[in-house]
Amino acid sequence: MTNILIAGVGGQGTILASRVLGRYALIKGQDCKMSEIHGMSQRGGSVATHVRIAEKVYSPVVCEGEADLILAFETLEAARVKHFLKKDGLLLVNEEKILPMPCITGAAQYPENLREKLETEINGVKFISATAIAKQAGSAKAANIVMLGCAAKLCGLDAQAMEQAILSCVAEKFKEVNLKAFRMGYEL
């Protein structure tokens, strides 16, 4: 069983990333179950998706301490979901910082030194400038696909099958930029 948690903010493509992973599983002849948790995603709130891949999957939810991989598309979201990571799991974090509404309104402050805290607490954490790389690929919105490229390389996933999954999940006009973003993330 491979347990993956994807966390981000509304509009960052967490659901698309989970669909790509689900399609990848099907291409590889595996079963996949997914569960989506939407906060106030339309207003920039938290969004998390659980993806479980195995020969046969019965439950779509990743339990605390059981995620093999967490893809966090924003640093604060990584801190919010880190308790799902298993001891020897991998936490990939996009270095992007998106202020939640309480920080924008002045009711709260964005936590300081999150990167340092995560690096101290978690052995398997890697920070990636996914948004900057996605801009180089042609669209900042492809940061989620850059993250999938990094994850594919680090986890030994079949790059060709991942590309096939991406192509089947994105609209025609976005295929080229997403393939480029995936390849840049994979080469990173």
Side-chain angles (χ1 to χ4, degrees):
M1 179 76 64
T2 301
N3 292 307
I4 303 166
L5 182 72
I6 304 171
V9 173
Q12 285 192 295
T14 56
I15 295 170
L16 174 60
S18 65
R19 288 182 181 151
V20 169
L21 288 168
R23 185 62 53 101
Y24 172 82
L26 295 176
I27 290 168
K28 298 301 282 182
Q30 296 285 301
D31 188 17
C32 179
K33 299 281 188 284
M34 296 182 294
S35 176
E36 302 166 1
I37 300 166
H38 305 264
M40 293 288 287
S41 60
Q42 294 273 334
R43 304 205 186 284
S46 297
V47 178
T49 57
H50 297 236
V51 181
R52 301 185 78 211
I53 300 170
E55 190 171 311
K56 185 65 183 156
V57 180
Y58 296 98
S59 169
V61 178
V62 176
C63 294
E64 290 185 21
E66 292 187 3
D68 299 289
L69 171 65
I70 295 177
L71 297 176
F73 296 163
E74 196 275 338
T75 308
L76 182 56
E77 295 306 315
R80 288 183 207 230
V81 299
K82 66 183 179 186
H83 61 283
F84 281 93
L85 192 66
K86 69 182 192 179
K87 187 175 181 180
D88 59 345
L90 175 62
L91 172 60
L92 290 179
V93 184
N94 182 8
E95 293 176 337
E96 186 168 18
K97 180 173 147 180
I98 299 174
L99 297 178
M101 193 55 68
C103 293
I104 292 170
T105 63
Q109 286 193 332
Y110 194 91
E112 293 184 16
N113 305 316
L114 276 179
R115 179 179 180 145
E116 293 79 9
K117 289 175 184 173
L118 289 168
E119 288 175 333
T120 300
E121 295 173 13
I122 300 168
N123 288 332
V125 64
K126 295 192 182 300
F127 283 82
I128 301 159
S129 299
T131 304
I133 294 166
K135 285 178 185 176
Q136 292 174 12
S139 173
K141 291 186 178 238
N144 58 343
I145 304 299
V146 171
M147 297 285 290
L148 285 177
C150 291
K153 178 72 170 222
L154 291 169
C155 297
L157 302 181
D158 179 340
Q160 194 171 27
M162 281 293 291
E163 288 185 6
Q164 186 180 348
I166 291 165
L167 291 174
S168 69
C169 291
V170 299
E172 185 65 39
K173 64 182 177 179
F174 301 117
K175 288 183 178 186
E176 185 178 326
V177 70
N178 279 282
L179 279 181
K180 187 173 182 182
F182 175 78
R183 290 171 181 158
M184 291 175 79
Y186 193 85
E187 292 304 315
L188 185 66

